[in-house]
Amino acid sequence: MTAIVEPTLAPPGAGLPPLELLIGRALFRWRRLRGDRDFFTADFQRQRSAIAALLASCDPETGARRVLIRRPPGLEDSSRYWSIWMTLDHLRIIHKGFVGVIEALLKGVVPPGRASTAAVKPSPEATAAVRAEYEKSCEDLLAIIAAAPDLNTRVCYEHPWFGPLNAAGWHALAGNHMSIHRVQIEKILQGLNKKH
């Protein structure tokens, strides 16, 4: 039996290369300037639909296979060796966190602690069961956005890469984050297809 050799990757939370982070911050500022609430919600829903289309032919076994991919922009090196189910588990964790942050900011409360990219890594044991949890997390995020009268809160919570964001900023980030992991799922599927 052949042992599975784990690739050597940067540790979780190592972040992005400095120039890429600088460009990412500028692009996110531009995104926030040119977008509005409806745009960001529609973008999130577009990314969700694109991910659903990618998952349409994914069976439980295929979705559990980890694939080492080339790092797309916006993805930490430590996230390059995930399965599709791990990617959905990460999105579930992120959406749950976004809901908590936005909910607190809408009440005028800054959430305790610090946001950390190292703290939101998925379980390597994630299974197809995560699909339903991921879908619920999408619905929960959309629901809190839809119910909020105004996302331009006075209080902010700091993102480790993009600095202090009010509820509108966290909303703007949601679709952007989904697009990075949609690309990741595309690359994982390409890698799986090469193995067959």
Side-chain angles (χ1 to χ4, degrees):
M1 189 166 143
T2 307
I4 297 172
V5 179
E6 291 273 334
T8 303
L9 303 173
L16 301 176
L19 180 59
E20 184 178 324
L21 182 57
L22 191 67
I23 293 167
R25 286 174 175 157
L27 289 173
F28 183 60
R29 274 194 301 273
W30 175 248
R31 174 182 171 84
R32 288 196 66 194
L33 283 172
R34 73 177 180 85
D36 61 14
R37 181 178 180 148
D38 290 341
F39 172 85
F40 298 133
T41 295
D43 183 45
F44 182 87
Q45 290 173 323
R46 269 192 306 275
Q47 296 301 330
R48 183 183 181 187
S49 294
I51 289 172
L54 291 168
L55 297 177
S57 62
C58 189
D59 61 70
E61 185 182 316
T62 301
R65 288 194 193 115
R66 294 171 77 175
V67 176
L68 183 64
I69 62 170
R70 289 186 66 172
R71 190 184 68 79
L75 191 76
E76 283 192 327
D77 186 64
S78 62
S79 304
R80 291 193 304 119
Y81 187 54
W82 288 3
S83 68
I84 290 170
W85 303 146
M86 287 175 70
T87 308
L88 292 189
D89 191 38
H90 169 72
L91 288 169
R92 175 196 63 80
I93 293 165
I94 288 292
H95 296 161
K96 186 177 177 184
F98 278 28
V99 167
V101 167
I102 291 170
E103 194 170 50
L105 295 177
L106 289 171
K107 293 175 183 172
V109 175
V110 178
R114 296 184 61 153
S116 163
T117 58
V120 292
K121 299 302 178 184
S123 168
E125 311 303 319
T127 68
V130 79
R131 281 182 82 164
E133 297 170 31
Y134 154 76
E135 292 294 347
K136 183 181 183 309
S137 75
C138 291
E139 289 300 321
D140 290 347
L141 182 54
L142 289 169
I144 196 163
I145 296 301
D150 184 5
L151 291 170
N152 291 302
T153 57
R154 290 185 178 177
V155 292
C156 296
Y157 184 62
E158 188 159 348
H159 185 276
W161 296 352
F162 301 111
L165 300 175
N166 63 9
W170 286 93
H171 177 218
L173 188 58
N176 196 57
H177 178 260
M178 284 271 276
S179 72
I180 292 165
H181 293 288
R182 188 250 313 144
V183 171
Q184 180 183 18
I185 290 170
E186 288 170 353
K187 289 183 175 292
I188 291 170
L189 287 170
Q190 289 166 8
L192 288 168
N193 288 335
K194 284 180 188 173
K195 290 182 177 182
H196 294 295

